[in-house]
Amino acid sequence: MDREEILNKVPIFAGLNRRHLKRLSKLMVPRSFKTGEAIVQEKDQPAGFFVITSGKVEVVRGGAGGKPQVLATLGPGEFFGEMALFEGQARSATVRTLEDTDCLVMTGWDFRAELSTDAEIAMAVLETVVRRLRELEARVTE
Ligand code: CMP
């Protein structure tokens, strides 16, 4: 599968036309990670936005002194790394691979530029972020 076909299967990019997919695919670089690798480390400064193309990761918060908490597990078609880029802050959590994982990565600069020029992508990212917040809230208030 080429990069455009992969992106076409990612929910936040679904519905984009061929030309747009081609442009996006040029902005995204494939990267592979081994099982147990921390792709993103809590409190680090952000660099990129990640879309998982295969494999599985867990999102973990805390750990230094306390008990680490698993916030979510994410798989193919899902993304992470948007929060720190939106906020201009450090990473909110660590994202660690549970199996060998392939991603497409976009720089923070390109991510912000895409979202400011494309309301459809921005809405799709926002919908996912809000859904994740609801899932977390539901767990906290259980
Ligand atoms: P960021 O803060 O840049 O780096 C860690 C990432 O973990 C974060 O962006 C989100 O993409 C992801 N993340 C943080 N909290 C949650 C959550 N509750 N559910 C799913 N993903 C999360």
Side-chain angles (χ1 to χ4, degrees), residues 30-37 39 51-58 74-76 80 95-104:
R31 282 197 57 194
S32 298
F33 301 91
K34 291 273 167 226
T35 308
E37 237 183 289
I39 303 178
V51 173
I52 302 167
T53 54
S54 70
K56 200 199 282 184
V57 303
E58 62 177 1
L74 307 174
F80 59 90
V95 179
R96 194 182 302 284
T97 56
L98 292 169
E99 49 190 68
D100 289 357
T101 297
D102 294 324
C103 295
L104 287 172

Short mmCIF file of all heavy atoms in Angstrom, two decimals, residues 30-37 39 51-58 74-76 80 95-104:
data_model
loop_
_atom_site.label_atom_id
_atom_site.label_comp_id
_atom_site.label_asym_id
_atom_site.label_seq_id
_atom_site.Cartn_x
_atom_site.Cartn_y
_atom_site.Cartn_z
N PRO A 30 7.32 7.94 7.11
CA PRO A 30 7.09 6.70 7.86
C PRO A 30 8.20 6.45 8.90
O PRO A 30 9.37 6.74 8.62
CB PRO A 30 7.12 5.61 6.77
CG PRO A 30 7.81 6.22 5.62
CD PRO A 30 7.75 7.71 5.75
N ARG A 31 7.78 5.97 10.07
CA ARG A 31 8.79 5.59 11.08
C ARG A 31 8.33 4.32 11.78
O ARG A 31 7.14 4.13 12.02
CB ARG A 31 8.96 6.71 12.13
CG ARG A 31 9.81 7.84 11.59
CD ARG A 31 10.34 8.73 12.69
NE ARG A 31 11.11 8.00 13.69
CZ ARG A 31 11.43 8.50 14.88
NH1 ARG A 31 11.04 9.71 15.20
NH2 ARG A 31 12.12 7.80 15.75
N SER A 32 9.30 3.45 12.08
CA SER A 32 8.98 2.17 12.73
C SER A 32 9.57 2.15 14.13
O SER A 32 10.66 2.67 14.36
CB SER A 32 9.59 1.02 11.92
OG SER A 32 9.03 1.02 10.64
N PHE A 33 8.82 1.54 15.04
CA PHE A 33 9.25 1.46 16.43
C PHE A 33 9.13 0.02 16.91
O PHE A 33 8.18 -0.67 16.56
CB PHE A 33 8.37 2.37 17.30
CG PHE A 33 8.41 3.82 16.87
CD1 PHE A 33 7.47 4.30 15.96
CD2 PHE A 33 9.37 4.68 17.35
CE1 PHE A 33 7.50 5.62 15.54
CE2 PHE A 33 9.41 6.01 16.94
CZ PHE A 33 8.48 6.48 16.04
N LYS A 34 10.10 -0.38 17.74
CA LYS A 34 10.10 -1.75 18.28
C LYS A 34 9.20 -1.83 19.51
O LYS A 34 8.93 -0.81 20.16
CB LYS A 34 11.53 -2.13 18.70
CG LYS A 34 12.46 -2.31 17.51
CD LYS A 34 12.36 -3.75 17.02
CE LYS A 34 13.00 -3.93 15.67
NZ LYS A 34 12.18 -4.69 14.74
N THR A 35 8.78 -3.03 19.85
CA THR A 35 7.96 -3.25 21.04
C THR A 35 8.64 -2.66 22.28
O THR A 35 9.84 -2.88 22.48
CB THR A 35 7.76 -4.77 21.28
OG1 THR A 35 7.28 -5.34 20.07
CG2 THR A 35 6.79 -5.04 22.41
N GLY A 36 7.89 -1.93 23.09
CA GLY A 36 8.42 -1.39 24.34
C GLY A 36 9.07 -0.02 24.21
O GLY A 36 9.48 0.58 25.20
N GLU A 37 9.15 0.48 22.99
CA GLU A 37 9.79 1.79 22.78
C GLU A 37 8.84 2.93 23.18
O GLU A 37 7.64 2.86 22.87
CB GLU A 37 10.13 1.95 21.29
CG GLU A 37 11.59 2.22 21.02
CD GLU A 37 11.85 2.43 19.54
OE1 GLU A 37 11.78 1.45 18.78
OE2 GLU A 37 12.12 3.57 19.16
N ILE A 39 7.63 6.24 22.16
CA ILE A 39 7.66 7.10 20.96
C ILE A 39 7.64 8.55 21.41
O ILE A 39 8.33 9.41 20.84
CB ILE A 39 6.44 6.80 20.05
CG1 ILE A 39 6.41 5.33 19.65
CG2 ILE A 39 6.46 7.70 18.81
CD1 ILE A 39 5.22 4.94 18.79
N VAL A 51 0.41 9.25 13.21
CA VAL A 51 -0.73 8.42 12.84
C VAL A 51 -0.23 6.97 12.80
O VAL A 51 0.78 6.68 12.14
CB VAL A 51 -1.27 8.82 11.45
CG1 VAL A 51 -2.35 7.85 11.01
CG2 VAL A 51 -1.83 10.24 11.48
N ILE A 52 -0.93 6.10 13.53
CA ILE A 52 -0.50 4.69 13.58
C ILE A 52 -0.99 3.98 12.32
O ILE A 52 -2.18 4.04 12.00
CB ILE A 52 -1.09 3.99 14.82
CG1 ILE A 52 -0.66 4.72 16.09
CG2 ILE A 52 -0.68 2.51 14.88
CD1 ILE A 52 -1.43 4.29 17.33
N THR A 53 -0.09 3.32 11.61
CA THR A 53 -0.52 2.57 10.42
C THR A 53 -0.58 1.07 10.72
O THR A 53 -1.36 0.36 10.11
CB THR A 53 0.41 2.85 9.22
OG1 THR A 53 1.75 2.59 9.60
CG2 THR A 53 0.29 4.30 8.77
N SER A 54 0.25 0.59 11.65
CA SER A 54 0.10 -0.79 12.12
C SER A 54 0.69 -0.88 13.52
O SER A 54 1.55 -0.08 13.88
CB SER A 54 0.79 -1.77 11.18
OG SER A 54 2.18 -1.63 11.29
N GLY A 55 0.19 -1.86 14.28
CA GLY A 55 0.70 -2.05 15.64
C GLY A 55 -0.23 -1.48 16.69
O GLY A 55 -1.40 -1.19 16.42
N LYS A 56 0.30 -1.33 17.91
CA LYS A 56 -0.54 -0.89 19.03
C LYS A 56 0.33 -0.14 20.05
O LYS A 56 1.47 -0.53 20.29
CB LYS A 56 -1.15 -2.13 19.69
CG LYS A 56 -2.37 -1.81 20.52
CD LYS A 56 -2.71 -2.88 21.50
CE LYS A 56 -3.40 -4.10 20.90
NZ LYS A 56 -3.77 -5.06 21.95
N VAL A 57 -0.22 0.92 20.63
CA VAL A 57 0.51 1.68 21.65
C VAL A 57 -0.39 1.88 22.87
O VAL A 57 -1.61 1.77 22.77
CB VAL A 57 0.94 3.08 21.13
CG1 VAL A 57 1.79 2.98 19.88
CG2 VAL A 57 -0.28 3.98 20.86
N GLU A 58 0.26 2.18 24.01
CA GLU A 58 -0.53 2.58 25.17
C GLU A 58 -0.12 3.99 25.58
O GLU A 58 1.04 4.38 25.41
CB GLU A 58 -0.39 1.60 26.34
CG GLU A 58 1.00 1.47 26.90
CD GLU A 58 1.09 0.53 28.11
OE1 GLU A 58 0.07 -0.04 28.52
OE2 GLU A 58 2.21 0.40 28.63
N LEU A 74 -4.15 2.65 21.69
CA LEU A 74 -4.51 3.13 20.35
C LEU A 74 -3.93 2.19 19.31
O LEU A 74 -2.87 1.59 19.52
CB LEU A 74 -3.95 4.54 20.13
CG LEU A 74 -4.29 5.61 21.18
CD1 LEU A 74 -3.53 6.91 20.89
CD2 LEU A 74 -5.79 5.87 21.22
N GLY A 75 -4.64 2.06 18.19
CA GLY A 75 -4.20 1.14 17.13
C GLY A 75 -4.27 1.78 15.76
O GLY A 75 -4.40 3.00 15.63
N PRO A 76 -4.21 0.94 14.71
CA PRO A 76 -4.15 1.46 13.34
C PRO A 76 -5.27 2.44 13.01
O PRO A 76 -6.43 2.22 13.35
CB PRO A 76 -4.28 0.19 12.48
CG PRO A 76 -3.77 -0.89 13.36
CD PRO A 76 -4.14 -0.52 14.77
N PHE A 80 -1.87 10.31 17.70
CA PHE A 80 -1.49 10.89 19.00
C PHE A 80 -0.44 11.97 18.77
O PHE A 80 0.12 12.09 17.68
CB PHE A 80 -0.97 9.81 19.97
CG PHE A 80 0.24 9.06 19.47
CD1 PHE A 80 1.53 9.51 19.74
CD2 PHE A 80 0.09 7.90 18.73
CE1 PHE A 80 2.64 8.82 19.28
CE2 PHE A 80 1.20 7.21 18.26
CZ PHE A 80 2.47 7.67 18.53
N VAL A 95 3.78 7.74 25.33
CA VAL A 95 3.14 6.80 24.41
C VAL A 95 4.17 5.71 24.10
O VAL A 95 5.22 5.99 23.54
CB VAL A 95 2.69 7.51 23.11
CG1 VAL A 95 2.04 6.52 22.16
CG2 VAL A 95 1.72 8.66 23.43
N ARG A 96 3.82 4.47 24.53
CA ARG A 96 4.77 3.36 24.42
C ARG A 96 4.17 2.25 23.57
O ARG A 96 2.98 1.97 23.67
CB ARG A 96 5.07 2.83 25.83
CG ARG A 96 6.28 1.91 25.93
CD ARG A 96 6.46 1.40 27.35
NE ARG A 96 6.63 2.47 28.32
CZ ARG A 96 7.75 3.17 28.50
NH1 ARG A 96 8.81 2.90 27.78
NH2 ARG A 96 7.80 4.13 29.40
N THR A 97 5.00 1.64 22.76
CA THR A 97 4.49 0.58 21.88
C THR A 97 4.24 -0.71 22.68
O THR A 97 5.04 -1.10 23.53
CB THR A 97 5.49 0.26 20.76
OG1 THR A 97 6.73 -0.08 21.36
CG2 THR A 97 5.69 1.45 19.84
N LEU A 98 3.13 -1.38 22.38
CA LEU A 98 2.82 -2.69 22.98
C LEU A 98 3.24 -3.80 22.03
O LEU A 98 3.29 -4.97 22.40
CB LEU A 98 1.32 -2.79 23.26
CG LEU A 98 0.81 -1.86 24.37
CD1 LEU A 98 -0.71 -1.85 24.40
CD2 LEU A 98 1.37 -2.28 25.72
N GLU A 99 3.46 -3.44 20.77
CA GLU A 99 4.00 -4.36 19.76
C GLU A 99 4.76 -3.52 18.74
O GLU A 99 4.71 -2.29 18.81
CB GLU A 99 2.86 -5.16 19.10
CG GLU A 99 1.72 -4.33 18.62
CD GLU A 99 0.50 -5.17 18.19
OE1 GLU A 99 -0.14 -5.80 19.07
OE2 GLU A 99 0.21 -5.18 17.00
N ASP A 100 5.45 -4.16 17.81
CA ASP A 100 6.14 -3.40 16.77
C ASP A 100 5.10 -2.52 16.07
O ASP A 100 4.02 -3.00 15.72
CB ASP A 100 6.81 -4.32 15.75
CG ASP A 100 8.02 -5.03 16.35
OD1 ASP A 100 8.35 -4.74 17.52
OD2 ASP A 100 8.63 -5.86 15.65
N THR A 101 5.45 -1.25 15.92
CA THR A 101 4.45 -0.28 15.44
C THR A 101 5.02 0.63 14.35
O THR A 101 6.16 1.09 14.46
CB THR A 101 3.98 0.60 16.64
OG1 THR A 101 3.34 -0.26 17.59
CG2 THR A 101 3.00 1.68 16.22
N ASP A 102 4.23 0.82 13.30
CA ASP A 102 4.61 1.75 12.23
C ASP A 102 3.70 2.96 12.29
O ASP A 102 2.49 2.85 12.50
CB ASP A 102 4.43 1.09 10.85
CG ASP A 102 5.40 -0.06 10.65
OD1 ASP A 102 6.54 0.05 11.13
OD2 ASP A 102 5.01 -1.07 10.03
N CYS A 103 4.32 4.13 12.07
CA CYS A 103 3.57 5.38 12.09
C CYS A 103 3.91 6.22 10.87
O CYS A 103 4.96 6.03 10.25
CB CYS A 103 3.95 6.22 13.32
SG CYS A 103 3.52 5.50 14.89
N LEU A 104 3.03 7.15 10.57
CA LEU A 104 3.37 8.25 9.67
C LEU A 104 3.46 9.50 10.55
O LEU A 104 2.59 9.72 11.40
CB LEU A 104 2.30 8.43 8.60
CG LEU A 104 2.26 7.35 7.51
CD1 LEU A 104 1.03 7.54 6.62
CD2 LEU A 104 3.53 7.38 6.67
#
